[in-house]
Amino acid sequence: MLPFVYRVTKYDPADRDQHGHYIGPEPATSDHGPVEAAYLLAVTAFAEDTDIDLVAIREPEIGGFAHFGLEPPIDGYGLADLFPDGLTGFHDGALVPIATALELVRAMLRDNGAWCRLETEGAFAVHVGWDQYLYIGSNRPCEAALSRTRSLGLFPELLDASPYDFVPDSPVHEQRPADADFWARLRWMVGTHRATFLEEIYVANASRWHRLTSDNLEAVRAGLAPRAGLAVWPDLLTDVGTAMASLPEEGLVEILWEDESGRITGTVADETQFEAVISRLAGARAAGVLSLVADERLPLFTAVLPDSDGVLRARRQTEPTAGDLDWAFLKTLRRGQVVTGTVTTIADFGGTFVDIGGCTALINLPELSWRPVRNPSDFVGVGQQITAEILDVDMVRERVALSLRAMQEDPWPRVAPRIGQVITGPVTEIVPFGIFVRVEDRADGFEGLVLTSELDESTGDVVEVGDVLTVKVIDVDLGRRRIALSQKKTRILRRER
């Protein structure tokens, strides 16, 4: 926050009531002449006193809040010819010389439909507010500029802060950056046809729409406006009639459609305009209807483009979606971290789903116990609270893998000393390459494999599951968690005796 902030107006403080409201005769619109020129000269004086040559455009907007409604918007929002590359230069973070900044102030004083903050971080700021109230901040007292402003017939007043200082919509909401993880997730979703539609909010209240494919994603990415807000959506409906059937009986919505050339058009309309918009959809190959109500406008996930160095300096915030909240929670998790959760589902494939407070994580069957697991219900139950270790956090698929067995003592080191022992146990499974035999006297005991080559010739094809065999432990591979058994070597042992 800057230490010196002045409200600069054409309104004499003597013409304000006890509430500070101006009650004099002056109109709130720009005179497009001497008074407007005086405002611009005052800005110039403060910039010179602060030694500022460049300012940054922050939070640019068109329409909506940006247009106070006192004068009708004009073509180009009063920004025509201000930027070498046209309106593409009107983006958050764009550095402009003071001469261009003055023209932006002029456009805002005239209420042409565009608005932004003009700031040099830690040094200088210009905000244009309602009724031609100008707020100029500096890190210096700017006595010469104050004197110059008064001589121009304007009235500067010292304030604690500008009412137009940026305030985040939600200080606790962590804005997702469009970083490597974001693009990897988007690429995966496009490849699996879970998302094919990108909204690029290049300034507040204005969007461009892009249909994404695996072939064009990088080209679309390269053409995005700096610091743009991004929203990822599922595809439009190819059945245009079905899409239009979702129009509400009344209220504002955004209607999108894709023509045969692949161009996507969007327009905001209410019930009085629906018929006219639908008539424009002749030949459209896909369409969709998006609500303008924040709670109902639900993209899959959102992000904001960071700068080229990877730092997210844009202060804009997208409305957090369920996907954004999942991402923010996943960012707090680390491999090896211990979490507590509640079992919500035991799937047919054996996976156990656990609510860990911010998302649903998965315990695969082998991670339930060090011991053999055939039925997960023998180890966990729905509604049970468990403590598990995080094995992996996949930010692309936004999945968390847990291990329950990591919280248990590993019994395998106690098996290794059994090499050379002869034991008797039941056959638990017969496979083409051998027979599995339980080597511990417990229902969930470890099992070893007797390869066909290690079976006694007398065993032949007569053995069945449940039969009891005498075998010798010939190897314990702790790395691969495997026990090798032999029936033949028990015969050799008996002969030696």
Side-chain angles (χ1 to χ4, degrees):
M1 184 175 294
L2 296 172
F4 302 98
V5 177
Y6 301 95
R7 176 171 60 193
V8 176
T9 74
K10 60 185 178 181
Y11 306 115
D12 190 332
D15 292 327
R16 292 201 179 99
D17 62 19
Q18 66 271 25
H19 303 294
H21 299 138
Y22 179 73
I23 56 175
E26 289 288 335
T29 55
S30 171
D31 69 346
H32 294 215
V35 176
E36 179 182 278
Y39 275 120
L40 300 184
L41 288 171
V43 174
T44 302
F46 277 95
E48 289 176 349
D49 261 16
T50 316
D51 290 332
I52 294 298
D53 297 319
L54 295 171
V55 295
I57 295 172
R58 300 308 312 266
E59 295 78 50
E61 303 183 14
I62 56 176
F65 164 77
H67 180 56
F68 297 136
L70 299 177
E71 299 184 30
I74 65 171
D75 291 343
Y77 308 101
L79 307 181
D81 303 322
L82 287 187
F83 304 97
D85 298 322
L87 294 184
T88 55
F90 187 58
H91 64 78
D92 188 79
L95 289 175
V96 297
I98 290 298
T100 301
L102 293 175
E103 292 306 311
L104 288 168
V105 172
R106 187 195 305 275
M108 288 187 275
L109 289 170
R110 294 185 180 187
D111 208 5
N112 288 153
W115 188 86
C116 66
R117 295 177 177 87
L118 296 167
E119 299 179 354
T120 301
E121 187 173 359
F124 185 67
V126 180
H127 304 153
V128 180
W130 285 85
D131 297 343
Q132 294 200 310
Y133 279 62
L134 201 63
Y135 300 89
I136 305 177
S138 175
N139 59 359
R140 305 177 186 180
C142 299
E143 296 294 345
L146 287 170
S147 177
R148 175 64 171 147
T149 299
R150 295 187 184 100
S151 72
L152 292 167
L154 300 176
F155 300 93
E157 301 168 81
L158 183 64
L159 304 178
D160 292 332
S162 166
Y164 290 88
D165 281 340
F166 176 81
V167 178
D169 295 331
S170 172
V172 299
H173 168 48
E174 181 182 1
Q175 179 58 59
R176 181 176 191 163
D179 55 10
D181 283 343
F182 170 86
W183 291 107
R185 175 160 177 76
L186 183 55
R187 190 175 297 108
W188 174 72
M189 294 195 76
V190 170
T192 56
H193 304 290
R194 303 185 187 195
T196 53
F197 202 33
L198 183 69
E199 179 184 7
E200 173 197 0
I201 308 165
Y202 58 97
V203 295
N205 304 315
S207 297
R208 286 185 285 261
W209 302 88
H210 309 275
R211 176 183 290 282
L212 299 177
T213 67
S214 297
D215 293 332
N216 76 354
L217 191 148
E218 291 304 323
V220 169
R221 178 181 178 181
L224 296 173
R227 299 187 181 180
L230 305 177
V232 178
W233 297 85
D235 201 4
L236 297 173
L237 294 176
T238 54
D239 187 336
V240 176
T242 299
M244 292 303 100
S246 64
L247 286 169
E249 293 185 3
E250 61 180 18
L252 280 172
V253 296
E254 186 167 12
I255 302 174
L256 306 172
W257 65 94
E258 182 181 27
D259 61 26
E260 293 181 350
S261 68
R263 180 173 177 269
I264 298 173
T265 302
T267 187
V268 174
D270 62 18
E271 66 278 6
T272 66
Q273 302 163 309
F274 289 165
E275 186 175 345
V277 175
I278 291 174
S279 68
R280 298 170 59 188
L281 270 58
R285 63 187 188 188
V289 177
L290 300 181
S291 173
L292 293 179
V293 179
D295 291 343
E296 299 174 359
R297 191 180 177 91
L298 301 174
L300 300 174
F301 55 99
T302 69
V304 173
L305 280 175
D307 292 346
S308 58
D309 60 2
V311 177
L312 182 59
R313 296 185 178 88
R315 299 182 297 207
R316 69 160 70 237
Q317 282 188 316
T318 59
E319 189 72 22
T321 67
D324 296 338
L325 297 177
D326 285 348
W327 166 84
F329 180 73
L330 291 177
K331 291 289 285 186
T332 69
L333 304 179
R334 297 290 181 270
R335 185 178 298 178
Q337 182 178 343
V338 175
V339 294
T340 299
T342 303
V343 176
T344 59
T345 308
I346 299 176
D348 291 340
F349 65 86
T352 300
F353 292 94
V354 182
D355 180 357
I356 58 174
C359 69
T360 299
L362 173 66
I363 305 177
N364 282 314
L365 197 64
E367 293 299 331
L368 285 172
S369 174
W370 291 104
R371 297 188 171 279
V373 180
R374 287 192 168 86
N375 185 355
S377 296
D378 293 338
F379 295 85
V380 292
V382 173
Q384 179 183 346
Q385 189 174 70
I386 63 169
T387 300
E389 181 179 306
I390 295 176
L391 289 183
D392 185 49
V393 180
D394 185 339
M395 295 303 296
V396 173
R397 293 167 176 79
E398 296 192 353
R399 297 174 181 171
V400 178
L402 300 181
S403 174
L404 193 59
R405 74 177 189 177
M407 306 301 297
Q408 306 162 1
E409 181 184 0
D410 184 358
W412 273 90
R414 298 200 300 270
V415 179
R418 302 190 67 177
I419 295 175
Q421 290 183 5
V422 175
I423 58 177
T424 300
V427 174
T428 59
E429 187 177 2
I430 300 173
V431 293
F433 48 84
I435 295 172
F436 284 94
V437 177
R438 186 180 301 132
V439 298
E440 291 183 298
D441 188 18
R442 49 187 292 171
D444 61 352
F446 290 120
E447 299 169 357
L449 174 64
V450 186
L451 290 171
T452 303
S453 60
E454 292 294 331
L455 285 171
D456 195 310
E457 292 85 348
S458 62
T459 301
D461 298 326
V462 299
V463 68
E464 296 180 355
V465 172
D467 289 350
V468 176
L469 293 185
T470 299
V471 294
K472 181 179 181 180
V473 180
I474 59 175
D475 187 43
V476 177
D477 186 337
L478 292 179
R480 295 189 295 174
R481 308 284 173 169
R482 294 178 180 177
I483 302 172
L485 306 175
S486 173
Q487 190 184 33
K488 285 182 176 180
K489 289 187 171 55
T490 63
R491 182 181 60 187
I492 296 172
L493 180 62
R494 287 195 297 270
R495 288 176 180 173
E496 290 175 348
R497 289 176 179 172

